[in-house]
Amino acid sequence: MPLTTDQQQEIEAARAAEGRTRRPVAPGLEALLYQAVPVLDHGFVRVIDYMGDDAAVVQAARVSYGRGTRAANEDRGLIRYLMRHRHSTPFEMCEIKFHVKLPIFIARQWIRHRTANVNEYSARYSILDREFYIPAPEQLAAQSTANRQGRGEVLAGEEAARVLDLLRGDAMQTYDHYAWMLNEDADGTPLDPGRQGLARELARMNLTLNTYTQWYWKTNLHNLFHFLALRSDTHAQYEIRVYADAMLEMVKAWVPACHEAFVDYRMGAATFSAGMLGVVRRLLAGEAVEQPGSGLSKREWRELMETLGRPVA
Amino acid sequence: MPLTTDQQQEIEAARAAEGRTRRPVAPGLEALLYQAVPVLDHGFVRVIDYMGDDAAVVQAARVSYGRGTRAANEDRGLIRYLMRHRHSTPFEMCEIKFHVKLPIFIARQWIRHRTANVNEYSARYSILDREFYIPAPEQLAAQSTANRQGRGEVLAGEEAARVLDLLRGDAMQTYDHYAWMLNEDADGTPLDPGRQGLARELARMNLTLNTYTQWYWKTNLHNLFHFLALRSDTHAQYEIRVYADAMLEMVKAWVPACHEAFVDYRMGAATFSAGMLGVVRRLLAGEAVEQPGSGLSKREWRELMETLGRPVA
Amino acid sequence: MPLTTDQQQEIEAARAAEGRTRRPVAPGLEALLYQAVPVLDHGFVRVIDYMGDDAAVVQAARVSYGRGTRAANEDRGLIRYLMRHRHSTPFEMCEIKFHVKLPIFIARQWIRHRTANVNEYSARYSILDREFYIPAPEQLAAQSTANRQGRGEVLAGEEAARVLDLLRGDAMQTYDHYAWMLNEDADGTPLDPGRQGLARELARMNLTLNTYTQWYWKTNLHNLFHFLALRSDTHAQYEIRVYADAMLEMVKAWVPACHEAFVDYRMGAATFSAGMLGVVRRLLAGEAVEQPGSGLSKREWRELMETLGRPVA
Amino acid sequence: MPLTTDQQQEIEAARAAEGRTRRPVAPGLEALLYQAVPVLDHGFVRVIDYMGDDAAVVQAARVSYGRGTRAANEDRGLIRYLMRHRHSTPFEMCEIKFHVKLPIFIARQWIRHRTANVNEYSARYSILDREFYIPAPEQLAAQSTANRQGRGEVLAGEEAARVLDLLRGDAMQTYDHYAWMLNEDADGTPLDPGRQGLARELARMNLTLNTYTQWYWKTNLHNLFHFLALRSDTHAQYEIRVYADAMLEMVKAWVPACHEAFVDYRMGAATFSAGMLGVVRRLLAGEAVEQPGSGLSKREWRELMETLGRPVA
């Protein structure tokens, strides 16, 4: 469980305090607000705040004066149209803020998404907790042989056990040395008054990349969908995908019509080049197209056949 | 009055509909929500939605789990510290969305601020209203002789009257021709069934730059402060400054502690170069520094003296 | 011809001055550098500067120390792979700067692309030239009846003639009044010493939206491709598409391998939702799928059939 | 020495290959191009490419057709004016691309500057080198007692020796275990054919934060100045400041007039709030102002007195 009792109580207090507002309210997300959804062994993601709902997207697309009186069905149709045709600006009108606890090596991947606002817990200023990510045995995968950037079979037996021992041992040892170098307790009191203690901004360099950090991460719905399309995808690294999957559920509770359109038109969607499209048309016309005469490279042909559910042997 | 009765009723309906939320609520801004504050002759600005409050800035700076139990005074102190030392990321954690009606030539200035989300009423898709900005007589200024980018004395007499006539006449004539070229009423029905009507995306080019447009404009508090620092300033063009001034009042109602820090540390603040700072130190030490021996150019010297309240004759 | 003799001479002088550099050089683009390609009746686009070439994209993807010794063919393959799989960051490593002269209503569309650096000629500070866009007769299209945001047939006869007269007449009249209100010649000397002249920042509001402006516009190759994918497309308004088309030719001269990959994988590409993909698979399997049992809406079905070259009657 | 012989040869080859260009050339930077300037124990920074020069800033501010015929002195004056008055867009017209090798914990600080293009060496795809940052003895500072985010005295004797041993020992051990878990040599051949080897994307998590990474980092001159103002500053962490200092020298070679203006107006500059400015005016008028009657808090008063060179005892 990633939260201390104090933290859990702060969250409960925040959840208990309701107020009145004239702003749009998304009931589904209100129900989840502030709650930490566990991810990995010590991480979590939780929604801290949000702005807007499905109707706000519609309202922005129409630059209207009020929430309008259109049928919900018309709104859904417009949202689907906007998503299908990549009209992105109305989706930028909704905003969401997450609090995320995550391993540093995943934070480094995540931060590549530049169009977000971030406040990270500072190890220059504060002391990090003694928490590291250790993969569950079923996630201890070998390097893929087909893909330089992917995983293959799960490790087993001796090798798996040894890997887990090394990860755990090194993380604990480097953390203990970090703590020794700092020479201070949580209040900043020296542990050993005979020593000065290394500056926090230096000592942190001894930690391993699976140490947990945390941040506030705020973005708009359009940029969030871009993040989710890349990270809630089978090609994404498992350790970031589990965060994306949890966030996608929160999006569903927040803006159900946008979520539905996203799932229908972007998850599982495939882009065909003009050349691939030509092959599809020829196939539909009954022609027996083969790679050599297709105008596609072998690699493109293989990708196309996989997309069409006809994987090349 | 910039709003139709229908629009006013939509706004009243939105104001009347209150809901419950677990999110932070800013009571001062709730009171103003949706209301259109008139700006210029036909424009307005109104807040459509917001996220966060003063405490959200503090919370982000601390990456905390709850709203905390610190004294309000401590929060205010931290906000002032963050503002003074340009720690900008915590201010990015608050977001606000405006609906603005403004003349096109001002919209062109405004849009230079790129770090915002915008949905503008589309004259490619829809028909613009017959509304133009005509300056009030006291705003009809001559070109400044001192500053190529500024205003001098107010025009008077014949010239002023003629300018107003020209502005009004040209705007009305070009709009009438726009309407004739479109050849359609509000529902898209041809006015003259014998004509086809020019495409909207073309006809709009006949409008003058003082025609009103409108948009939804959403930004975070940090970027908004940057906008306000530049536009709610005596060097800004009057026609954009009045919008910035109205928005600054809304910020005050929304995040009073941030607003206070902004006014204290950024409005009316002055930046001194290392060279200027050296001159100030010498002056404070009682030295009778003059421009020639100051190390500053004549222009820099004049700027410094003005900032110090000792304008050069 | 959009350039004065002086401007043409400045361009020739810039073209004549060659220097030596250790940087990557793109010979195809060097040949075009500084030259103004005419667009519309008075506009142009020209390349002012650039950074990088095809090899720079490859080099960034590999984070390498030199230009490498790989075969050109391998580089081309990698570029095509990056484009096909939307690995965008290597394309961000090339940068290009354009000087564009364009009508204001097109500038307003263009500026929506926020991820670029812009310096626009300031009508607050300077005086705009007496140049307006008047569509060629074959571009004088009626409003589309099928698409609220498009063009239909070309206007003809009386109506066309009248439209051109109105556009031309209004542009000239409003410009003449603009000049009268300014009351100054190019050097700032009052035309009529008995008048003060209206401030430039105000007088400009009397101009129509087809008046030409100009700017320096600088962006990276990834963002440029995004711009070109949207604007060099049949759904884009003709008046911005002609600029995009001219720029696409410059990209071809600059980074031929990237251009080829862009044309193959993004121009003319189509994205299929998971639902559409399912229909394609069923059709390929020989099933006689109709809209009612397809799981697609009528609109989606029509869009799919058009993409597959089987338009619905 | 951070470079291998191969890398050094690749750099020499790139430096030897000169071409002709019509683009602006900055001779000072050409002389430095591609050369790696050593930073810290194994890091470096080098310029890979650049666009523009001092004249390009001037040209953009004027939106001109050529390089102009103005005196160099006039250009310098305009650049200084633009810098002093924070007219940032002309500086955005110059672009520079660096190749940087740096410890991961510094890369994490650096990446907060979002307005740049980045391609980082991927430890998901490739294997990191066995290189870690170990501070020089004179950089082994204790935690500051005055500033939670700073350094105090340098550690000495036993404690210093022990810290260096721990940093070195942990980095080497975790790297060795990383290599063991990967179970592959540089070509991907298994070291021990009886094992599968852990996926690279997982094994990397065992590395410490002082491991070196590298990236291509490209930004425009305005954003670079913002980066340098924050990072080439006494409040910046030493380990990032040394990179910023090296880059500032490169900027001097590239755009000497912009560099001079930056140093004069932004380095060592101080911003005074309206309240502080009031105190300065009263002091200059000969008034004996003390903190209690100044309207400033104790903290603000102390900051002001320090800036004025009159530190409070």
Side-chain angles (χ1 to χ4, degrees):
Chain A
M1 175 55 192
L3 298 176
T4 66
T5 311
D6 276 9
Q7 289 159 358
Q8 194 58 54
Q9 280 173 358
E10 287 192 82
I11 288 174
E12 289 311 319
R15 282 179 60 78
E18 271 200 1
R20 300 193 65 74
T21 187
R22 283 173 159 144
R23 292 172 291 170
V25 174
L29 192 53
E30 289 282 338
L32 306 180
L33 212 61
Y34 304 129
Q35 278 182 330
V37 173
V39 183
L40 300 179
D41 50 354
H42 296 288
F44 62 74
V45 57
R46 63 194 195 104
V47 176
I48 293 300
D49 206 348
Y50 70 91
M51 170 197 272
D53 58 3
D54 278 330
V57 174
V58 169
Q59 200 182 10
R62 296 189 179 127
V63 191
S64 63
Y65 284 76
R67 314 219 91 211
T69 52
R70 318 269 180 133
N73 193 47
E74 248 182 278
D75 283 4
R76 177 175 168 274
L78 177 54
I79 285 173
R80 293 177 72 80
Y81 175 87
L82 295 170
M83 181 69 74
R84 206 159 65 239
H85 294 277
R86 302 261 177 159
H87 290 296
S88 56
T89 57
F91 296 103
E92 293 176 357
M93 289 288 142
C94 291
E95 191 89 12
I96 191 162
K97 183 161 58 177
F98 297 99
H99 179 191
V100 191
K101 188 171 169 189
L102 73 178
I104 290 174
F105 73 107
I106 295 305
R108 294 209 336 113
Q109 254 187 23
W110 192 309
I111 202 81
R112 306 290 172 82
H113 297 265
R114 286 161 295 184
T115 47
N117 306 121
V118 187
N119 278 274
E120 185 173 357
Y121 188 82
S122 168
R124 199 184 166 200
Y125 189 84
S126 308
I127 301 177
L128 287 179
D129 289 334
R130 199 178 190 276
E131 287 178 326
F132 344 99
Y133 168 60
I134 306 294
E138 66 273 20
Q139 289 306 327
L140 218 60
Q143 178 65 29
S144 163
T145 48
N147 181 350
R148 285 194 65 176
Q149 189 171 293
R151 299 187 184 183
E153 291 173 42
V154 173
L155 298 190
E158 287 281 314
E159 188 175 6
R162 171 82 173 133
V163 163
L164 289 176
D165 280 354
L166 290 175
L167 289 174
R168 213 176 276 120
D170 281 350
M172 288 197 294
Q173 174 181 318
T174 55
Y175 189 90
D176 289 344
H177 292 161
Y178 163 71
W180 186 90
M181 291 189 282
L182 287 175
N183 190 40
E184 55 177 328
D185 64 13
D187 302 323
T189 315
L191 298 174
D192 170 354
R195 290 198 287 119
Q196 295 184 281
L198 186 66
R200 290 180 200 109
E201 67 178 27
L202 286 171
R204 59 174 166 168
M205 80 171 81
N206 203 57
L207 297 170
T208 48
L209 282 158
N210 55 351
T211 307
Y212 275 91
T213 183
Q214 50 183 297
W215 61 32
Y216 276 22
W217 191 76
K218 168 173 158 286
T219 195
N220 66 49
L221 183 56
H222 166 66
N223 288 327
L224 180 59
F225 277 144
H226 186 71
F227 176 88
L228 295 176
L230 289 174
R231 303 305 181 179
S232 180
D233 179 278
T234 53
H235 295 91
Q237 177 162 358
Y238 168 79
E239 282 78 16
I240 198 166
R241 198 166 69 233
V242 284
Y243 286 92
D245 289 346
M247 291 156 82
L248 192 56
E249 283 305 299
M250 292 161 174
V251 169
K252 187 178 181 177
W254 176 28
V255 280
C258 294
H259 174 269
E260 183 204 49
F262 173 74
V263 169
D264 286 355
Y265 297 125
R266 298 206 37 200
M267 305 280 287
T271 299
F272 287 36
S273 67
M276 290 175 172
L277 211 50
V279 170
V280 172
R281 289 175 176 193
R282 287 165 64 190
L283 287 170
L284 285 175
E287 203 181 322
V289 194
E290 300 290 330
Q291 184 267 323
S294 70
L296 304 180
S297 72
K298 280 181 188 168
R299 184 159 197 167
E300 287 167 42
W301 179 263
R302 199 172 58 239
E303 289 175 12
L304 175 61
M305 289 303 118
E306 270 165 24
T307 308
L308 295 176
R310 310 171 147 196
V312 177
Chain B
M1 175 54 191
L3 299 176
T4 65
T5 310
D6 276 8
Q7 290 159 356
Q8 194 59 52
Q9 280 172 357
E10 287 192 83
I11 289 174
E12 288 311 320
R15 281 179 61 77
E18 270 200 0
R20 300 193 65 75
T21 187
R22 282 172 161 146
R23 292 171 292 169
V25 174
L29 192 53
E30 290 282 339
L32 306 180
L33 213 61
Y34 303 129
Q35 278 182 331
V37 173
V39 184
L40 299 178
D41 50 354
H42 296 288
F44 63 74
V45 56
R46 63 192 195 106
V47 177
I48 293 299
D49 205 348
Y50 70 91
M51 170 198 273
D53 58 2
D54 279 330
V57 174
V58 168
Q59 202 183 8
R62 296 188 179 128
V63 191
S64 62
Y65 284 76
R67 312 218 89 210
T69 53
R70 318 269 178 131
N73 192 48
E74 248 183 276
D75 282 4
R76 178 175 168 272
L78 176 54
I79 285 172
R80 294 177 71 82
Y81 175 86
L82 295 171
M83 181 69 74
R84 207 158 64 238
H85 293 278
R86 302 262 177 159
H87 291 295
S88 55
T89 57
F91 296 103
E92 293 175 357
M93 289 288 142
C94 292
E95 192 89 12
I96 191 163
K97 183 162 57 178
F98 296 99
H99 180 190
V100 192
K101 188 170 169 190
L102 72 178
I104 290 175
F105 73 107
I106 295 305
R108 295 212 331 116
Q109 254 188 21
W110 193 308
I111 202 81
R112 306 289 171 82
H113 297 264
R114 286 161 295 184
T115 47
N117 305 122
V118 187
N119 278 274
E120 185 172 356
Y121 188 82
S122 168
R124 199 184 165 200
Y125 189 83
S126 309
I127 301 177
L128 287 180
D129 289 334
R130 198 179 192 273
E131 288 178 324
F132 344 98
Y133 168 59
I134 305 295
E138 66 272 20
Q139 289 306 327
L140 218 59
Q143 178 65 29
S144 164
T145 49
N147 181 350
R148 285 193 66 178
Q149 188 170 294
R151 299 188 184 183
E153 289 172 44
V154 172
L155 297 190
E158 287 280 317
E159 188 174 6
R162 172 84 173 132
V163 163
L164 289 176
D165 280 353
L166 290 175
L167 289 174
R168 213 176 277 120
D170 281 351
M172 289 195 293
Q173 174 181 317
T174 54
Y175 189 90
D176 289 343
H177 292 161
Y178 163 71
W180 186 89
M181 291 189 281
L182 287 175
N183 190 38
E184 55 178 327
D185 64 13
D187 301 323
T189 314
L191 298 175
D192 171 353
R195 289 199 288 118
Q196 296 184 280
L198 188 65
R200 291 181 199 108
E201 68 179 26
L202 286 171
R204 60 174 165 167
M205 80 171 81
N206 202 56
L207 296 171
T208 48
L209 282 158
N210 56 350
T211 308
Y212 275 91
T213 183
Q214 50 182 298
W215 61 32
Y216 275 24
W217 190 78
K218 167 172 158 288
T219 195
N220 67 48
L221 183 56
H222 167 65
N223 288 328
L224 180 58
F225 278 144
H226 186 70
F227 176 87
L228 295 176
L230 288 173
R231 303 303 182 181
S232 180
D233 180 277
T234 52
H235 294 91
Q237 177 162 356
Y238 168 79
E239 281 78 16
I240 197 166
R241 199 166 69 232
V242 284
Y243 286 92
D245 289 346
M247 291 157 84
L248 191 57
E249 283 305 299
M250 292 162 175
V251 169
K252 187 177 180 178
W254 176 28
V255 281
C258 294
H259 174 268
E260 182 204 50
F262 173 73
V263 169
D264 285 356
Y265 297 125
R266 299 207 34 201
M267 305 281 287
T271 299
F272 287 38
S273 68
M276 290 175 173
L277 211 52
V279 169
V280 173
R281 288 175 178 194
R282 286 164 65 191
L283 287 171
L284 284 174
E287 203 181 320
V289 193
E290 299 292 330
Q291 184 268 326
S294 69
L296 304 181
S297 72
K298 279 181 188 170
R299 185 158 197 169
E300 288 168 42
W301 179 264
R302 198 171 60 239
E303 288 176 11
L304 175 62
M305 290 303 118
E306 267 165 26
T307 307
L308 294 176
R310 307 171 149 199
V312 178
Chain C
M1 176 54 193
L3 299 176
T4 66
T5 310
D6 276 8
Q7 289 160 356
Q8 195 58 51
Q9 281 172 358
E10 287 193 83
I11 289 174
E12 289 310 320
R15 282 179 61 77
E18 272 200 1
R20 299 193 66 74
T21 187
R22 282 171 159 146
R23 292 172 291 170
V25 174
L29 193 52
E30 288 282 338
L32 307 180
L33 212 63
Y34 302 131
Q35 277 181 331
V37 173
V39 184
L40 300 179
D41 51 354
H42 296 289
F44 64 75
V45 57
R46 62 192 194 108
V47 177
I48 294 300
D49 206 347
Y50 70 91
M51 171 197 271
D53 57 3
D54 279 329
V57 174
V58 169
Q59 201 182 9
R62 297 188 178 127
V63 191
S64 63
Y65 283 78
R67 313 216 92 211
T69 53
R70 318 269 181 133
N73 192 48
E74 250 183 275
D75 283 4
R76 177 174 168 272
L78 177 54
I79 286 172
R80 292 176 72 81
Y81 175 87
L82 296 170
M83 182 69 74
R84 205 159 64 238
H85 293 277
R86 302 263 175 157
H87 290 295
S88 56
T89 58
F91 296 103
E92 293 175 358
M93 289 288 143
C94 292
E95 191 89 11
I96 192 163
K97 183 162 56 176
F98 295 99
H99 180 189
V100 192
K101 189 170 167 189
L102 72 178
I104 290 174
F105 73 107
I106 295 305
R108 299 223 316 126
Q109 254 187 21
W110 193 309
I111 203 79
R112 305 290 170 82
H113 297 265
R114 286 160 295 185
T115 47
N117 306 121
V118 187
N119 278 272
E120 186 173 356
Y121 189 82
S122 168
R124 200 185 164 199
Y125 189 82
S126 307
I127 301 176
L128 286 180
D129 289 333
R130 196 177 193 275
E131 288 178 324
F132 344 99
Y133 168 59
I134 305 295
E138 66 272 20
Q139 289 305 327
L140 218 59
Q143 178 65 29
S144 163
T145 49
N147 181 350
R148 285 196 64 179
Q149 189 170 290
R151 299 188 184 181
E153 290 171 45
V154 173
L155 298 190
E158 286 280 315
E159 186 173 9
R162 172 84 173 131
V163 163
L164 289 176
D165 279 354
L166 290 175
L167 290 174
R168 213 176 277 122
D170 280 351
M172 288 196 294
Q173 173 182 317
T174 54
Y175 189 90
D176 289 344
H177 292 161
Y178 163 71
W180 186 90
M181 290 190 281
L182 287 175
N183 190 39
E184 54 177 328
D185 64 15
D187 302 321
T189 315
L191 298 174
D192 172 354
R195 291 197 287 119
Q196 296 184 281
L198 188 64
R200 292 183 197 106
E201 67 178 29
L202 287 171
R204 58 172 166 171
M205 79 171 80
N206 202 57
L207 296 171
T208 48
L209 282 158
N210 54 351
T211 308
Y212 274 91
T213 183
Q214 49 182 298
W215 60 33
Y216 276 24
W217 191 76
K218 169 173 157 285
T219 195
N220 66 49
L221 183 56
H222 166 66
N223 288 328
L224 180 59
F225 277 144
H226 186 69
F227 175 86
L228 294 177
L230 288 173
R231 303 304 181 179
S232 181
D233 180 277
T234 52
H235 295 91
Q237 177 162 358
Y238 168 79
E239 281 78 16
I240 197 166
R241 199 166 69 234
V242 283
Y243 286 92
D245 289 346
M247 291 157 82
L248 192 56
E249 284 303 300
M250 292 162 176
V251 169
K252 187 177 182 179
W254 176 30
V255 282
C258 294
H259 173 269
E260 184 205 50
F262 172 73
V263 168
D264 285 356
Y265 297 125
R266 300 209 31 204
M267 305 281 287
T271 299
F272 287 36
S273 67
M276 290 174 173
L277 212 50
V279 170
V280 172
R281 290 175 175 193
R282 288 166 63 192
L283 287 171
L284 284 175
E287 202 180 322
V289 193
E290 299 290 332
Q291 185 267 324
S294 70
L296 303 180
S297 73
K298 279 181 190 168
R299 183 159 197 167
E300 287 167 44
W301 178 263
R302 198 172 57 239
E303 287 176 11
L304 175 62
M305 289 303 116
E306 269 164 25
T307 306
L308 295 176
R310 310 173 148 195
V312 178
Chain D
M1 177 54 193
L3 298 176
T4 66
T5 310
D6 276 8
Q7 289 160 357
Q8 194 59 52
Q9 279 172 359
E10 287 193 84
I11 289 174
E12 288 311 319
R15 282 179 60 77
E18 271 201 359
R20 299 193 65 74
T21 188
R22 281 172 160 145
R23 291 172 292 170
V25 174
L29 193 52
E30 290 281 339
L32 306 180
L33 212 63
Y34 303 130
Q35 278 183 330
V37 173
V39 183
L40 299 178
D41 50 355
H42 296 288
F44 63 73
V45 58
R46 63 192 194 108
V47 176
I48 294 298
D49 206 347
Y50 70 91
M51 171 197 271
D53 57 4
D54 279 330
V57 174
V58 169
Q59 201 183 7
R62 296 189 179 126
V63 191
S64 63
Y65 283 77
R67 312 216 91 210
T69 54
R70 317 269 180 132
N73 192 47
E74 249 183 275
D75 283 5
R76 177 174 168 272
L78 177 54
I79 286 172
R80 292 177 72 81
Y81 175 86
L82 296 170
M83 182 69 74
R84 206 160 64 238
H85 293 277
R86 302 263 176 158
H87 290 296
S88 56
T89 57
F91 296 103
E92 293 175 358
M93 290 288 142
C94 293
E95 191 89 11
I96 191 163
K97 183 161 58 176
F98 296 99
H99 180 191
V100 192
K101 189 171 167 188
L102 73 178
I104 290 174
F105 72 107
I106 295 306
R108 299 221 318 124
Q109 254 188 22
W110 193 308
I111 203 79
R112 307 289 172 82
H113 297 265
R114 286 160 295 184
T115 47
N117 305 122
V118 187
N119 278 273
E120 187 173 355
Y121 188 82
S122 168
R124 201 184 163 201
Y125 189 82
S126 309
I127 301 177
L128 286 179
D129 289 333
R130 196 178 193 273
E131 288 178 324
F132 343 99
Y133 168 60
I134 305 295
E138 67 272 20
Q139 289 305 328
L140 217 59
Q143 177 65 30
S144 164
T145 49
N147 180 350
R148 284 194 66 179
Q149 188 170 294
R151 298 186 183 183
E153 291 172 44
V154 173
L155 298 189
E158 286 281 316
E159 187 173 7
R162 172 82 173 131
V163 162
L164 289 177
D165 280 353
L166 290 175
L167 289 174
R168 214 176 276 120
D170 281 351
M172 288 196 294
Q173 173 181 317
T174 54
Y175 189 89
D176 290 344
H177 292 161
Y178 164 69
W180 186 90
M181 291 189 282
L182 287 175
N183 190 39
E184 56 177 327
D185 64 14
D187 302 322
T189 315
L191 299 174
D192 171 355
R195 291 198 287 120
Q196 296 184 280
L198 188 64
R200 291 182 199 106
E201 68 178 28
L202 286 171
R204 61 174 165 169
M205 81 172 77
N206 202 57
L207 296 171
T208 48
L209 282 159
N210 54 351
T211 308
Y212 275 90
T213 183
Q214 49 182 297
W215 61 33
Y216 276 23
W217 190 76
K218 168 173 157 286
T219 195
N220 67 48
L221 183 56
H222 167 66
N223 288 328
L224 180 58
F225 277 143
H226 186 69
F227 176 86
L228 295 176
L230 288 174
R231 302 305 181 179
S232 180
D233 179 278
T234 52
H235 295 91
Q237 178 163 356
Y238 168 79
E239 281 78 17
I240 197 166
R241 199 166 68 233
V242 283
Y243 286 92
D245 290 346
M247 291 157 82
L248 192 55
E249 284 303 300
M250 291 161 175
V251 169
K252 187 177 181 179
W254 175 30
V255 280
C258 294
H259 173 270
E260 184 204 50
F262 173 73
V263 169
D264 284 356
Y265 296 125
R266 300 208 32 202
M267 306 280 288
T271 299
F272 288 37
S273 68
M276 290 175 173
L277 212 51
V279 170
V280 172
R281 289 177 175 191
R282 286 165 63 190
L283 287 170
L284 284 173
E287 203 181 322
V289 193
E290 298 291 331
Q291 184 269 324
S294 69
L296 303 180
S297 73
K298 279 180 187 169
R299 185 159 197 168
E300 288 168 41
W301 179 262
R302 199 171 57 239
E303 288 174 11
L304 175 62
M305 289 302 117
E306 269 164 25
T307 307
L308 295 176
R310 310 172 149 195
V312 177

